[in-house]
């Protein structure tokens, strides 16, 4: 029985005890039960990340194990082989070289010989590269600055990367954490964009502002912020066009959207998330470079990690763009968008098959 099934069974058992058991709970037990739920949530989050990175980890770690072996000494050939493995995980040439330069320097300086130490050195060098967002703690709990509401988030990205589903999943998470969400359907360029976003708004049980196809996207954004202020919404999420006829048109549109929102809320947008598809590998980096030319990006959302062996692109994005990954998509369900945690990502990436074991759900005394 997997961890999710065991957790479901445990929750069912607790619920079935009924009101009589609840009445017996004292403050100490309540606190212990809360701690159990918090720890269990962390375990589930880590498990989802591990599952999402399973394809990348399988290829990456299996190849590492095959070349490192047991008892092999560190030499130039071994380090070159590891650099090739990084490339197969779509870490990229520039980033792979940077990681291995750090490993080579440490091997020489600290006099390492046993190849088994390379697992630790690689993890530490990758962790150095991953850029942590200054909002990482807030992202992890889907919290907002209560003094600066409504928080306005603009979401950009080319068509097909999972932009609409990302907006739906973000809306669900913020709604689940008690915030009032309003979506603005400002991608009026693409046919059926409004309809798709409306479906996700219903799934997340949040409100949406939209106009007919071909309407001025900036007008939709303006109306959305205006409605948010009137309805006392906590967060506004603005969808934008993924493709226009040329880069100049996209730049002009995004600038106009930001400009009109500032008339109502001077700090808008508070964040601009770029959604990228992990399955496209190094092409995702090129997309990111193009978008950074037309709008200030404050974070990356990397989707479809569960469907690719190219998860190493997360490392390349952080290294080449010096930009934090804010969220990762590790499944198709509405709650499968995970706040990015560099340590958990690296732990999941390097999980060896023989070390993989089911996590134990913490116990609480009766």
């Amino acid at each position: 029985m997997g961890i999710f099934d065991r957790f479901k069974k445990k929750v069912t058992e607790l619920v079935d005890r009924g009101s009589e058991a609840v009445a017996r709970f004292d403050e100490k037990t309540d606190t212990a039960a809360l701690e159990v739920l918090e720890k269990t949530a962390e375990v589930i989050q880590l498990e989802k990340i591990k599952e999402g990175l399973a394809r990348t980890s399988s290829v990456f770690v299996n190849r590492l194990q095959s070349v490192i072996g047991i008892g092999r000494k560190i030499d130039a050939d071994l380090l070159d082989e590891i650099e090739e493995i990084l490339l197969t995980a779509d870490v990229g040439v520039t980033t792979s070289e940077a990681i291995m330069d750090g490993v080579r320097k440490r091997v020489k300086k600290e006099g390492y010989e046993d190849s088994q130490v390379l697992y630790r050195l690689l993890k530490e060098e990758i962790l150095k590269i991953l850029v942590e967002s200054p909002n990482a703690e807030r992202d992890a709990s889907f919290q907002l600055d209560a003094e600066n509401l409504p928080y306005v988030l603009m979401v950009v990205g080319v068509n097909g990367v999972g932009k609409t589903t990302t907006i739906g999943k973000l809306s669900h998470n913020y709604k689940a954490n008690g915030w009032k969400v309003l979506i603005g359907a400002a991608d009026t360029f693409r046919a059926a964009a409004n309809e798709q976003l409306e479906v996700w708004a219903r799934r997340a049980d949040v409100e949406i502002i939209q106009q007919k196809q071909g309407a001025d996207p900036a007008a939709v954004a303006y109306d959305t912020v205006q409605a948010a202020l009137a309805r006392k919404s906590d967060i506004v999420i603005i969808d934008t066009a993924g493709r226009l006829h040329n880069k100049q048109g996209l730049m002009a549109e995004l600038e106009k959207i930001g400009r009109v929102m500032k008339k109502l809320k001077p700090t808008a947008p508070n964040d601009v998330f770029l959604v990228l598809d992990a399955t496209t590998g190094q092409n995702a980096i090129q997309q990111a470079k193009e978008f950074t030319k037309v709008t200030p990006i404050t974070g990356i959302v990397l989707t479809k990690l569960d469907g690719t062996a190219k998860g190493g692109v997360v490392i390349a994005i952080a290294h080449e763009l010096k930009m934090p990954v804010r969220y990762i998509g590790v499944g198709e369900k509405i709650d499968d968008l995970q706040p990015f945690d560099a340590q958990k990502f690296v732990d999941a990436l390097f999980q060896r098959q023989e070390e993989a074991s089911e996590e134990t759900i913490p116990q609480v005394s009766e």
Side-chain angles (χ1 to χ4, degrees):
M1 185 185 294
I3 184 169
F4 301 112
D5 292 329
R6 289 188 289 116
F7 177 60
K8 183 178 179 181
K9 181 180 178 183
K10 183 66 177 177
V11 171
T12 302
E13 289 173 356
L14 289 171
V15 171
D16 287 344
R17 291 174 188 170
S19 59
E20 184 179 345
V22 173
R24 293 201 306 268
F25 274 19
D26 56 21
E27 184 177 353
K28 181 178 179 181
T29 307
D30 286 342
T31 302
L34 181 60
E35 290 176 354
V36 167
L37 290 175
E38 288 175 344
K39 289 177 181 178
T40 303
E42 290 179 5
V43 169
I44 290 175
Q45 184 186 53
L46 180 57
E47 285 300 307
K48 283 190 175 184
I49 294 172
K50 286 179 179 178
E51 289 176 8
L53 280 172
R55 293 191 183 185
T56 301
S57 179
S58 177
V59 173
F60 181 64
V61 175
N62 287 347
R63 292 199 64 189
L64 272 181
Q65 288 177 309
S66 69
V67 301
I68 289 177
I70 299 176
R72 183 174 176 178
K73 298 295 183 184
I74 299 176
D75 57 24
D77 289 339
L78 173 57
L79 296 177
D80 287 343
E81 289 177 54
I82 292 175
E83 188 166 338
E84 289 181 13
I85 292 171
L86 289 171
L87 291 172
T88 65
D90 246 46
V91 175
V93 175
T94 303
T95 307
S96 296
E97 288 177 349
I99 292 170
M100 292 311 299
D101 282 348
V103 170
R104 289 185 177 97
K105 288 176 182 176
R106 292 185 62 183
V107 166
K108 182 177 181 180
K109 180 180 179 180
E110 299 168 35
Y112 292 120
E113 295 184 357
D114 186 349
S115 62
Q116 294 299 306
V117 76
L118 292 175
Y119 289 106
R120 177 173 62 83
L121 296 184
L122 283 167
K123 288 178 70 172
E124 291 173 356
E125 291 301 317
I126 290 173
L127 267 174
K128 288 180 185 177
I129 284 176
L130 293 173
V131 179
E132 184 171 354
S133 165
N135 298 311
E137 187 175 339
R138 190 174 294 166
D139 288 347
S141 55
F142 292 96
Q143 293 304 302
L144 300 172
D145 180 2
E147 302 300 319
N148 190 28
L149 299 179
Y151 162 75
V152 180
L153 168 63
M154 191 160 72
V155 181
V156 302
V158 302
N159 295 337
V161 295
K163 186 159 53 74
T164 303
T165 56
T166 293
I167 291 170
K169 292 174 181 181
L170 281 170
S171 299
H172 165 77
N173 279 301
Y174 278 109
K175 174 73 182 292
N177 281 275
W179 301 105
K180 186 175 181 180
V181 183
L182 185 61
I183 295 175
D187 182 0
T188 60
F189 181 78
R190 182 169 60 92
N194 281 12
E195 289 84 349
Q196 292 171 4
L197 196 59
E198 188 175 10
V199 168
W200 276 99
R202 285 199 300 268
R203 289 179 186 173
D205 190 24
V206 301
E207 295 180 294
I208 182 171
I209 299 293
Q210 54 186 317
Q211 295 182 16
K212 64 182 180 179
Q213 184 181 347
D216 182 1
V220 178
Y222 184 91
D223 288 348
T224 305
V225 176
Q226 189 174 53
L229 291 167
R231 302 176 191 181
K232 299 190 183 318
S233 299
D234 300 307
I235 174 170
V236 172
I237 304 179
I238 302 292
D239 187 19
T240 61
R243 185 179 299 130
L244 292 181
H245 295 302
N246 53 61
K247 187 167 65 179
Q248 287 71 32
L250 178 61
M251 180 185 295
E253 179 175 295
L254 294 177
E255 285 180 346
K256 184 178 178 183
I257 290 174
R259 188 169 65 251
V260 300
M261 289 194 297
K262 281 178 169 46
K263 293 179 181 179
L264 296 169
K265 188 172 187 294
T267 59
N270 300 99
D271 270 310
V272 180
F273 285 178
L274 171 62
V275 181
L276 298 173
D277 179 348
T279 64
T280 62
Q282 292 295 302
N283 286 337
I285 296 177
Q286 189 57 42
Q287 287 177 25
K289 288 179 178 178
E290 291 301 313
F291 268 94
T292 56
K293 294 176 183 178
V294 300
T295 189
I297 304 297
T298 59
I300 300 290
V301 178
L302 196 63
T303 65
K304 308 178 189 178
L305 265 178
D306 56 311
T308 182
K310 300 178 179 181
V313 72
V314 173
I315 307 164
I317 287 170
H319 179 248
E320 294 193 33
L321 303 176
K322 300 296 185 287
M323 190 178 295
V325 175
R326 304 283 288 269
Y327 295 95
I328 53 176
V330 293
E332 297 180 359
K333 296 178 182 177
I334 198 166
D335 59 350
D336 282 339
L337 188 72
Q338 297 287 315
F340 182 72
D341 183 305
Q343 185 65 62
K344 288 178 181 176
F345 174 84
V346 173
D347 288 344
L349 180 63
F350 278 84
Q351 185 184 16
R352 305 189 211 181
Q353 297 305 308
E354 69 269 18
E355 293 176 354
S357 60
E358 290 190 87
E359 298 282 355
T360 301
I361 293 178
Q363 299 296 311
V364 58
S365 57
E366 300 290 339

